[in-house]
Amino acid sequence: MAHKWYIVHTYSGFENKVKASLEERIKQRGMEDFFSKIIVPTEKVVEIVKGERKTSSRKVYPGYILVRMELNKDTWHLVQDTPKVTGFVGGQHDPVPLPDAEAEKIIRHMEEMSQKPVPKYRFEKGDKVIVTDGPFANFSGIIDEVKPEKGKVRVLVSIFGRSTPIELEFGHVHKAG
C-alpha cells in the first residue's frame, strides 16, 4: 500500500509537540516504514519592531498537521492515540487522504514563503485602524500611506477636529473592527 497524505487535527498551539511526539512514537514502535513525512504548515513573516526587522514563522493552518503514511489499523491507532491529537480530518475511522496535488501545493507555498517572507501585518490605504501604543494610544484613524520597507504607516487622526497625519510602526496600530 502506498503512502498518502492525511490531515490530522491537533489542539491549537500544540502542532510542533504533536509532530515531535508522533515521530518519537513511530521510532519506539519501529514503524518508520509506514510513515514518510510529518509537516506543520508554516510561513515566514517579517515585522519591524523598534526599527529592527524580525522574521518569525506563523502557522498556516493552526490546529492541523500533515502526515504522509500508509493507513492501516496500527498506524491509525498510533496517530489517534498520540497526546493532543483530536483525530483525522475527513472521517474519524476511515479518513479520506488529501490529494497529492493539494499536499504539493501546500508544501510549495511553504517553500516559497521561506524564500520570500510576507509582512506580518497587511495594511492598505483607507484601512480604519486604532493606535495601540504611544501618545496617541486609543485614537482611531485612517491609513493615508503604507511604507512596507520601513514597516510604518501614516495615519490620519482627528485632533481637535482637524485631520493630523502621524507616522507609526505597523505594530503600534491594528485594524478597527
Side-chain angles (χ1 to χ4, degrees):
M1 192 176 181
H3 289 210
K4 295 190 172 153
W5 285 105
Y6 293 90
I7 302 171
V8 176
H9 189 260
T10 70
Y11 288 15
S12 192
F14 288 89
E15 301 85 357
N16 290 319
K17 281 191 168 114
V18 168
K19 178 184 180 203
S21 180
L22 196 49
E23 288 169 341
E24 184 63 32
R25 290 166 56 88
I26 291 165
K27 201 178 291 179
Q28 284 173 350
R29 288 170 178 72
M31 296 176 78
E32 292 92 345
D33 293 345
F34 296 99
F35 293 84
S36 49
K37 201 156 194 152
I38 301 170
I39 295 174
V40 177
T42 57
E43 64 184 1
K44 293 245 184 278
V45 292
V46 175
E47 62 182 315
I48 310 294
V49 179
K50 294 186 172 109
E52 285 188 39
R53 192 179 174 92
K54 292 197 188 255
T55 305
S56 59
S57 65
R58 168 173 60 197
K59 292 176 187 78
V60 180
Y61 306 110
Y64 297 95
I65 63 171
L66 300 178
V67 180
R68 188 164 176 82
M69 61 185 271
E70 179 182 318
L71 185 66
N72 62 39
K73 196 174 103 188
D74 294 332
T75 58
W76 183 90
H77 278 290
L78 181 85
V79 173
Q80 191 68 35
D81 297 340
T82 300
K84 310 289 188 219
V85 166
T86 57
F88 285 89
V89 172
Q92 255 331 35
H93 297 289
D94 192 17
V96 178
L98 182 68
D100 282 347
E102 284 297 310
E104 286 164 16
K105 201 162 104 181
I106 292 168
I107 293 165
R108 199 169 35 254
H109 175 77
M110 285 174 56
E111 288 167 352
E112 288 169 6
M113 291 299 104
S114 71
Q115 305 300 318
K116 183 184 70 154
V118 296
K120 185 169 186 176
Y121 305 100
R122 290 192 179 99
F123 295 111
E124 292 180 23
K125 184 175 177 162
D127 283 351
K128 291 181 178 166
V129 294
I130 295 173
V131 181
T132 58
D133 199 21
F136 299 100
N138 299 321
F139 275 65
S140 59
I142 295 178
I143 293 184
D144 183 47
E145 185 181 356
V146 180
K147 301 176 181 182
E149 68 287 344
K150 290 184 175 177
K152 295 189 176 197
V153 289
R154 185 168 63 205
V155 178
L156 299 176
V157 296
S158 178
I159 300 175
F160 302 120
R162 294 182 54 165
S163 193
T164 307
I166 56 173
E167 192 169 276
L168 300 162
E169 292 182 16
F170 283 177
H172 292 181
V173 295
H174 68 78
K175 289 188 182 182

